Amino acid sequence: MPDLIRLSGRTASPGFAAGPIHIVGEARTSYRPLGSAEAEEAALRQAVAAAAEATADSMRGLDEEAASIIEFQLAMLEDDTFVDASLARIQSGVTAFNAWAKVLDLEVEDYRASDDPYFQARSADLADIRDRVLDILTGAVQQPVPPGAIQVATDMSPSHFLAQDWDKGGGLALRAGSVSSHVSMLARSRGIPALVGIGFGAVPDLAAALLDAESGVLLIHPDEISRTQFDETRGASRAAATAAGRDVDRPASTADGEAVAVMVNIAQPGDVGRIPIGHCDGVGLMRTEFLFGGTHGLPDEATQLDAYLKVLVWAAGKPVTIRSIDAGGDKPVEGLTIAEDNPFLGMRGIRLSLAKPEIFRVQIRALLRAAPRGALKVMLPMVSVPGEIDSALALFAEEAEGLAGRGIAHAMPEIGIMVEVPSVAVTPERFFRAAFLSIGSNDLTQYVLAASRDNAALGALSSAADPAVLRLIGTVAAHGAAAGIEVSLCGDAASDPKLVPLLLAAGLRRLSVAPAQLAAVKAAVRAWSRTSAVVTEGES
């Protein structure tokens, strides 16, 4: 029997899979010229139309955030710009294949070379539509994927992921990739176990394999001991999930009786349709970036108001914390973000909103008008100095006065801040004008450890369990308790049951988690007590 191969990676989407390895490779054949410009033109138009139809079909059943990834690709395929440029090349004697490849290659190169993070991020989408049309032109057929296979690739395009029949099970292991990439987000959206960063070691095609995407391990040629351990781990995970699910509608409290609020993070209003309000204590983070993405331009006041009201009505009086637009960094928005050399340390979050008040004021008015319909809180992202709170509060006051002057119903919500910049975590007492504090563990970890969160090579440094990060979380929690200011944590760390004991030991009693992790996090809370917690300096 071949020797066991053990590869480690980062969890992009948790879960388990057992099946054969399927190496995702190039299946394209050579292109046969058609002999005339007219025939080449017709072939290109048909290929682009077929690619657009397939892309539109792939959007069905996706949530709004996932569909927005594909929406950009569809818009590019339906735009005549690339087709017209390719047709011009065909008229000069170039084949449809070479014309399309050259036009898109140049466009991809321009996008990658851009200083604007929005265009940099979209270069992969352009490469994806380039390859899809070329595959159609050559009649390329990917090798069939065995049912339940664990697919291995250097990286994977969103369209390739969506073209797979994941209903048959299986998983994904990428040699490179990032947990924040589009395909990682799609894997989480579909509940497909996925690892990234497993490296470039030899992986034999069709070999039996076990994927433990909770522990971050891919086992190839597993022996009986490995299989037994995998089955036990998977069984225990499923049993724990089943048990936790039975109590998901119960309020969470620690083993020694301390109440802990467990709220949900949502990316867009459609998310709430899958979450009974009785299962959570409200919304700890509603992102608003979904409103500003896609191809529809910047949202007007009515569009934003409708989105906010939908969530407030669903919450039935429970608190809903809506974050003002958090664009910039790894979230470029066309027409809003600013091209710069270092976007993570540049104009992002509240800095960008204050720099673009004409856009921010529209969002403020929608929030003020939504506030009478529920327990609305507004959270300002990327605050780093107290003056930013003062400036934002002044804009809220001005817009409230304007609404009052026009006789439009509104209310002033509580306005708090994200704690994701070390300057806030180190001196939280300076930010006393914030009505509440919500720790963003993702960015706080990134800035404390000086490790970009979207760099797969630095994955080992991206841990909120680092003692330096935990100490700052404890500092903020202690300040909140002493000053009577509500403190919560809404980053990915709150959704990890393994980190929940550390967060509770640091003093947090409000967590906002991914909806899929509600039951698991509540179970982790119930298992913890002050008397059993042993967290010493330097432990993680």
Side-chain angles (χ1 to χ4, degrees), residues 72-147:
F72 172 85
Q73 297 184 357
L74 180 61
M76 292 296 98
L77 286 167
E78 293 178 339
D79 189 324
D80 290 334
T81 302
F82 299 144
V83 172
D84 290 345
S86 299
L87 294 179
R89 288 179 177 272
I90 290 173
Q91 287 298 321
S92 68
V94 177
T95 66
F97 182 96
N98 289 336
W100 181 260
K102 185 63 175 179
V103 168
L104 270 295
D105 282 346
L106 291 172
E107 199 71 18
V108 169
E109 185 178 334
D110 286 346
Y111 269 56
R112 287 174 177 165
S114 172
D115 292 330
D116 190 328
Y118 175 84
F119 291 107
Q120 292 173 354
R122 290 304 190 183
S123 65
D125 295 298
L126 288 174
D128 197 3
I129 66 172
R130 174 198 61 200
D131 293 344
R132 216 168 324 147
V133 172
L134 295 180
D135 283 345
I136 293 171
L137 284 169
T138 59
V141 178
Q142 294 288 339
Q143 291 298 314
V145 179

Side-chain angles (χ1 to χ4, degrees), residues 484-501:
I485 298 174
E486 180 184 287
V487 176
S488 63
L489 189 144
C490 62
D492 282 347
S495 297
D496 187 344
K498 299 184 188 69
L499 295 183
V500 167

Side-chain angles (χ1 to χ4, degrees), residues 306-472:
D306 286 346
Y308 306 152
L309 288 177
K310 180 175 181 177
V311 178
L312 286 166
V313 169
W314 165 83
K318 291 184 178 180
V320 173
T321 302
I322 297 179
R323 184 175 67 189
S324 63
I325 176 67
D326 186 18
D330 60 345
K331 292 172 286 214
V333 174
E334 189 173 15
L336 176 59
T337 46
I338 300 169
E340 50 192 340
D341 291 335
N342 193 342
F344 278 107
L345 296 179
M347 294 295 290
R348 57 170 300 201
I350 191 61
R351 303 172 184 176
L352 183 60
S353 293
L354 294 175
K356 298 283 188 82
E358 70 282 0
I359 296 173
F360 192 26
R361 286 179 183 273
V362 176
Q363 182 169 46
I364 289 173
R365 289 195 297 273
L367 291 166
L368 289 169
R369 292 174 61 189
R373 297 292 297 274
L376 175 64
K377 300 179 178 183
V378 174
M379 183 160 60
L380 308 176
M382 197 61 186
V383 169
S384 37
V385 294
E388 290 165 335
I389 305 176
D390 298 337
S391 297
L393 291 175
L395 289 176
F396 271 85
E398 289 174 14
E399 291 304 324
E401 184 178 358
L403 291 172
R406 287 181 285 151
I408 298 175
H410 67 284
M412 186 64 71
E414 292 184 26
I415 299 175
I417 64 172
M418 292 279 287
V419 179
E420 48 195 343
V421 178
S423 61
V424 184
V426 172
T427 58
E429 69 279 358
R430 297 167 59 217
F431 298 83
F432 57 87
R433 295 201 69 186
F436 60 90
L437 305 173
S438 182
I439 300 169
S441 58
N442 298 355
D443 272 326
L444 182 62
T445 301
Q446 168 178 245
Y447 293 127
V448 169
L449 297 175
S452 177
R453 57 191 284 195
D454 63 349
N455 188 330
L458 300 178
L461 291 176
S462 300
S463 173
D466 185 273
V469 179
L470 287 174
R471 179 177 290 187
L472 289 180

Side-chain angles (χ1 to χ4, degrees), residues 189-238:
S189 175
R190 290 287 185 91
I192 305 303
L195 294 182
V196 298
I198 65 168
F200 291 85
V203 176
D205 197 20
L206 299 178
L210 304 173
L211 178 65
D212 179 350
E214 296 194 359
S215 301
V217 176
L218 174 64
L219 300 174
I220 304 169
H221 299 312
D223 53 25
E224 285 303 313
I225 295 175
S226 298
R227 288 185 179 279
T228 299
Q229 291 175 339
F230 177 86
D231 289 341
E232 290 175 352
T233 302
R234 179 173 58 178
S237 178
R238 289 175 175 174

